[in-house]
Amino acid sequence: MTNTIWGGRFTASPSEIMEEINASIDFDKRLWRHDILASKAHVAMLGETGIVTAKEAKEIARGLDQIMAEIEAGKFKFSRSLEDIHLNVESRLHELIGPVAGKLHTARSRNDQVATDFRLYVRDEIGAIAAALRALQLALAKKALQYAGAVMPGFTHLQTAQPITFGHHLLAYVEMLGRDRGRFTDAAKRLGECPLGAAALAGTSFPIDREATARALGFARASANSLDAVSDRDFALETLAAAAIAAMHLSRLAEEMVNWASPQWGFVRFSDKFTTGSSIMPQKRNPDAAELVRAKTGRIAGAFQALLMVMKGLPLAYAKDMQEDKEPVFDALDALKLGLAAMTGMVEDIEPDLRAMKRAASSGHATATDLADWLVLNLGLPFREAHQIAGRIVALAESRGSDLKKLPLSDLQSVEKRITEEVYSALDALGSVKSRTSYGGTAPANVKREAKRWIKRLEKDAETR
């Protein structure tokens, strides 16, 4: 049987293979709410402009409300033979109210219809993701405040570098996630153009009011070019790009959690809520939640690349290739939301081992830079000379199998005779972090101030959302 919506041009039914490759209802049915809301805005505008009568507009809106209720109740039967969500809704509308249902599609096409539905969906997802990012930021900031003075080693090249605080480390991710929220906010702003009324590609001869439709759907304006309106998927690409960067940040934190939780590091412990065991090794406590968050970055970044490849060679305006735009977006944004929820739970659940972290921060000659700084401040040496002296002292400590702080003063003076007993205050890990009071530094006072600032800001954001 040919499709009754577009079948007037055709006399034979499509092959089973054609029907299989052409149908999108299996995945685009999740746009049902957005499709119905856009249709209600469209028919309201048609009624206000006199393109359909007020009675017809009211009857169509009533039918759409009934379809929405049926879908919400799980009573709506989706049909693959009707290809997509648009035709499924329109076909059911015809069953409910008769031929007047056909007037709903006046002055629009499935091209501008799907572009509108998809924008509405992505806009809603951006809102949900922004809220999830904010929740993770708040969890990190609260944990940072709790452990503002907890000393741990900072790393470069995954080698011990300088002592920092656990709170300072967590606040670094708060900053990253703040930039992620900014990217999603920017994407939402550029998304705010309504394609509805662009029709297939050239606009329409009906006297429609596109600005009224845009306002009704919460867009800032109607899109200015009908060709661009139906063929643009930049909003989805930009959202996926923001998602990929956010997922990368989650992956970095997940990687650190995996390291921190390993017995070789022993910095943190997770409860049973975010770990799993082994079917053969009874002692295992695996950080599977963190590992899965880390792994999902691939599918999220891959979704961006997949849609980019769909769009890269398409001439204007619409092409069926663009049906492949939704599944990557659906999958990627679902994965990101799940990853954010899991990471928020892990951050709230994490228990640092303060003694293990401080012990690690006091080893590996982490205060060598503090030693060099002390030589500059107290002996007036150029930093490059101080760096050389500190390096020789580190080599001496390694040859003795000793930490810097445990070297006798006589050993220190064998390298630089002017070193005094006061140098040991600079070789203490806690003293080191307390001295880092420059703006953005790891000093506990800085961390407390920044954590409180973030908590206040994030709680205010949540209230005004």
Side-chain angles (χ1 to χ4, degrees):
M1 172 174 86
T2 60
N3 190 307
T4 57
I5 303 294
W6 51 259
R9 170 66 176 81
F10 295 79
T11 58
S13 299
S15 71
E16 290 183 9
I17 294 174
M18 179 61 195
E19 192 169 283
E20 180 68 24
I21 197 172
N22 193 50
S24 61
I25 188 60
D26 292 341
F27 54 85
D28 70 18
K29 62 186 177 184
R30 77 158 66 187
L31 298 177
W32 66 267
R33 187 181 302 277
H34 308 92
D35 191 73
I36 292 173
L37 289 174
S39 289
K40 289 184 68 175
H42 182 67
V43 77
M45 180 275 296
L46 294 178
E48 290 166 2
T49 55
I51 297 172
V52 302
T53 67
K55 180 181 178 182
E56 290 169 334
K58 186 175 181 180
E59 190 173 1
I60 291 170
R62 178 184 58 79
L64 291 169
D65 284 338
Q66 183 171 337
I67 294 170
M68 182 174 286
E70 290 176 357
I71 298 175
E72 287 175 337
K75 297 178 179 179
F76 188 91
K77 184 177 180 181
F78 295 98
S79 171
R80 297 189 88 237
S81 66
L82 291 171
E83 297 181 29
D84 55 34
I85 185 60
H86 322 300
L87 298 187
N88 269 264
V89 169
E90 187 172 338
S91 178
R92 177 57 178 154
L93 186 64
H94 190 275
E95 291 174 355
L96 291 172
I97 66 174
V100 71
K103 294 194 173 187
L104 171 61
H105 209 54
T106 306
R108 75 175 187 186
S109 161
R110 282 190 293 173
N111 295 355
D112 61 332
Q113 191 178 357
V114 69
T116 304
D117 294 356
F118 200 21
R119 280 177 185 259
L120 291 171
Y121 172 84
V122 171
R123 187 179 70 186
D124 285 351
E125 290 296 284
I126 287 175
I129 289 168
L133 284 165
R134 184 172 58 247
L136 177 53
Q137 283 183 288
L138 187 58
L140 286 163
K142 287 181 175 180
K143 193 71 72 169
L145 181 60
Q146 184 179 358
Y147 295 104
V151 178
M152 69 176 291
F155 300 92
T156 62
H157 309 278
L158 209 57
Q159 304 295 310
T160 300
Q162 292 177 274
I164 60 171
T165 68
F166 188 51
H168 191 60
H169 199 123
L170 296 180
L171 284 180
Y173 285 97
V174 176
E175 295 289 338
M176 294 181 210
L177 297 170
R179 294 193 295 273
D180 290 327
R181 284 177 62 201
R183 276 182 279 271
F184 280 107
T185 297
D186 290 345
K189 289 178 182 177
R190 275 182 287 279
L191 179 151
E193 297 184 353
C194 183
L196 201 56
L201 76 161
T204 178
S205 57
F206 289 96
I208 61 174
D209 184 348
R210 292 191 61 211
E211 291 299 333
T213 309
R215 286 193 302 271
L217 293 172
F219 289 105
R221 66 192 69 84
S223 51
N225 183 287
S226 59
L227 284 169
D228 181 52
V230 298
S231 63
D232 168 46
R233 293 299 183 271
D234 289 2
F235 65 92
L237 283 166
E238 188 171 359
T239 301
L240 286 178
I245 296 172
M248 175 270 293
H249 288 150
L250 295 186
S251 183
R252 294 182 73 180
L253 179 54
E255 170 70 9
E256 299 209 272
M257 287 182 166
V258 170
N259 288 335
W260 292 343
S262 68
Q264 290 74 17
W265 293 51
F267 286 2
V268 303
R269 178 181 173 86
F270 294 108
S271 74
D272 295 349
K273 291 188 292 184
F274 291 97
T275 55
T276 64
S278 165
S279 63
I280 188 172
M281 296 169 283
Q283 83 281 10
K284 293 296 291 295
R285 179 185 290 273
N286 300 322
D288 283 8
E291 292 171 0
L292 288 166
V293 168
R294 185 176 60 187
K296 288 184 184 297
T297 304
R299 68 196 297 170
I300 296 169
F304 170 72
Q305 189 66 21
L307 182 53
L308 197 65
M309 292 303 99
V310 168
M311 300 302 299
K312 73 174 181 63
L314 296 186
L316 297 179
Y318 181 84
K320 195 70 170 186
D321 310 50
M322 292 165 72
Q323 184 168 289
E324 291 295 310
D325 59 357
K326 295 169 201 65
E327 286 184 284
V329 173
F330 294 162
D331 182 73
L333 300 188
D334 285 348
L336 180 58
K337 288 186 294 182
L338 181 58
L340 285 166
M343 188 58 73
T344 302
M346 282 186 283
V347 168
E348 292 171 342
D349 184 61
I350 199 169
E351 292 182 11
D353 185 328
L354 303 184
R355 284 190 291 183
M357 290 195 300
K358 186 174 182 180
R359 186 166 55 246
S362 300
S363 64
H365 315 302
T367 55
T369 303
D370 298 271
L371 172 58
D373 290 346
W374 187 92
L375 294 170
V376 171
L377 291 170
N378 292 274
L379 303 185
L381 298 178
F383 181 78
R384 287 303 174 199
E385 183 179 348
H387 186 283
Q388 290 288 326
I389 293 170
R392 292 200 298 273
I393 292 174
V394 167
L396 178 62
E398 288 182 343
S399 71
R400 302 284 174 84
S402 171
D403 292 331
L404 287 176
K405 190 176 181 181
K406 294 180 180 179
L407 278 178
L409 181 61
S410 59
D411 283 352
L412 298 175
Q413 290 176 336
S414 71
V415 178
E416 171 49 66
K417 63 182 181 181
R418 291 174 291 173
I419 293 177
T420 66
E421 193 80 31
E422 285 72 28
V423 74
Y424 288 104
S425 63
L427 300 180
D428 176 69
L430 180 57
S432 173
V433 297
K434 285 183 176 180
S435 72
R436 305 292 171 179
T437 56
S438 60
Y439 179 72
T442 191
N446 287 14
V447 175
K448 288 180 182 178
R449 183 175 61 251
E450 284 300 295
K452 289 177 180 178
R453 181 182 68 84
W454 269 112
I455 291 169
K456 182 178 179 181
R457 174 180 167 184
L458 292 165
E459 289 179 340
K460 184 178 179 180
D461 288 349
E463 292 171 0
T464 58
R465 181 172 179 264

